[in-house]
Amino acid sequence: MNVYENHDLAALLAGNTYPGRGIVLGKTADGKQSVAAYFIMGRSENSRNRVFVQEPDGIRTEAFDPAKLADPSLIIYHPVRQLGRALIVTNGDQTDTIRDHLELGESFEQGLRTRAFEPDGPNWTPRISGLLSADGSYKMSILKSADAEGSACARYTYEYPGVNGVGHFLHTYVQDGNPIPTFQGEPERVAITGTLDAFAEMIWNNLNEANKISLYVRFTDLATGAYQEKLYNKNT
């Protein structure tokens, strides 16, 4: 068993009809750029009625058809926010919690200790979060239910140095199901390959066609902080 194997992200996505919401953080093979990607999927009409909209400091979710928006509490938020040279990426409104704590001089972990998994039993969807630093290093976190009843929160944080050509993929669910099984284990080690366009197209084209909703990908020059980004919405 090779524990340092870089898995094929395309194969992981293509072989899973419902990973849910997913974060990929890493570094390009030449070591010059950091990489961040975030996608959302959905099974219900309310979840599928969304698009990503660009903001000056990142992106937010928005109802594609406001007349069909039933409950905004867990689906309308800012998944990506820039704070200085750092980038916060999450699957919920904990993006703002992390930003607020960092602005107070506190840590990523301190901010997330004030939050827990989503109150959507029996799924108890995990809150997944990432913090990409200016030097290409990054942290990833998952807050998930400690039991089937949602009675307590288990908290896991992983810290990575940023290795050329390597990224980590963290998603909310193992696969589709009812209830949907929560992600297990350490974020999956994946290969980061190609240009921004090629990497973004690879993710988008391998997400399940019926369930995918939106994707955001950013490549950031580690020397200058300048970045390029791609945004995809199934609803257009």
Side-chain angles (χ1 to χ4, degrees):
M1 179 180 182
N2 179 9
V3 298
Y4 300 111
E5 178 185 359
N6 293 332
H7 297 284
D8 182 354
L9 180 57
L12 292 177
L13 294 172
N16 191 343
T17 58
Y18 203 64
R21 286 166 275 173
I23 298 171
V24 180
L25 299 179
K27 189 186 283 188
T28 56
D30 62 9
K32 294 181 178 181
Q33 298 181 91
S34 64
V35 173
Y38 178 66
F39 66 79
I40 58 175
M41 306 179 81
R43 302 190 303 177
S44 69
E45 182 180 11
N46 198 43
S47 290
R48 290 179 175 180
N49 181 36
R50 287 186 289 173
V51 291
F52 283 169
V53 177
Q54 290 185 302
E55 291 280 302
D57 66 341
I59 59 170
R60 61 181 167 86
T61 61
E62 181 179 277
F64 175 63
D65 182 351
K68 294 181 178 179
L69 180 62
D71 178 7
S73 60
L74 295 176
I75 65 170
I76 302 299
Y77 55 93
H78 287 78
V80 177
R81 282 194 185 276
Q82 186 168 342
L83 181 63
R85 289 283 298 273
L87 194 69
I88 306 163
V89 185
T90 89
N91 73 325
D93 62 9
Q94 73 267 26
T95 308
D96 296 341
T97 303
I98 295 167
R99 179 198 59 182
D100 293 347
H101 281 259
L102 292 174
E103 287 181 331
L104 291 172
E106 297 177 348
S107 67
F108 176 73
E109 293 86 347
Q110 284 175 298
L112 287 169
R113 285 190 197 109
T114 69
R115 304 303 303 270
F117 51 87
E118 295 182 356
D120 63 342
N123 295 320
W124 309 122
T125 298
R127 290 192 186 272
I128 57 172
S129 307
L131 179 64
L132 182 58
S133 298
D135 63 357
S137 63
Y138 49 97
K139 294 180 179 181
M140 303 185 91
S141 163
I142 182 167
L143 310 179
K144 58 185 181 178
S145 181
D147 56 30
E149 292 70 40
S151 68
C153 182
R155 304 169 184 278
Y156 303 87
T157 302
Y158 304 90
E159 188 167 355
Y160 300 102
V163 175
N164 295 357
V166 176
H168 287 86
F169 175 34
L170 179 61
H171 43 105
T172 51
Y173 308 123
V174 175
Q175 60 187 27
D176 206 348
N178 190 23
I180 319 173
T182 294
F183 181 87
Q184 298 293 305
E186 184 180 344
E188 295 163 315
R189 182 181 171 111
V190 296
I192 303 292
T193 60
T195 63
L196 167 67
D197 288 345
F199 187 73
E201 286 288 320
M202 175 271 293
I203 296 176
W204 185 245
N205 290 337
N206 284 285
L207 289 170
N208 179 266
E209 184 63 31
N211 295 321
K212 69 181 180 183
I213 301 171
S214 298
L215 167 68
Y216 175 81
V217 181
R218 178 188 287 207
F219 276 36
T220 303
D221 187 293
L222 292 172
T224 67
Y227 63 84
Q228 297 177 296
E229 56 192 349
K230 296 274 289 185
L231 188 151
Y232 297 76
N233 286 310
K234 187 175 182 180
N235 293 316
T236 56

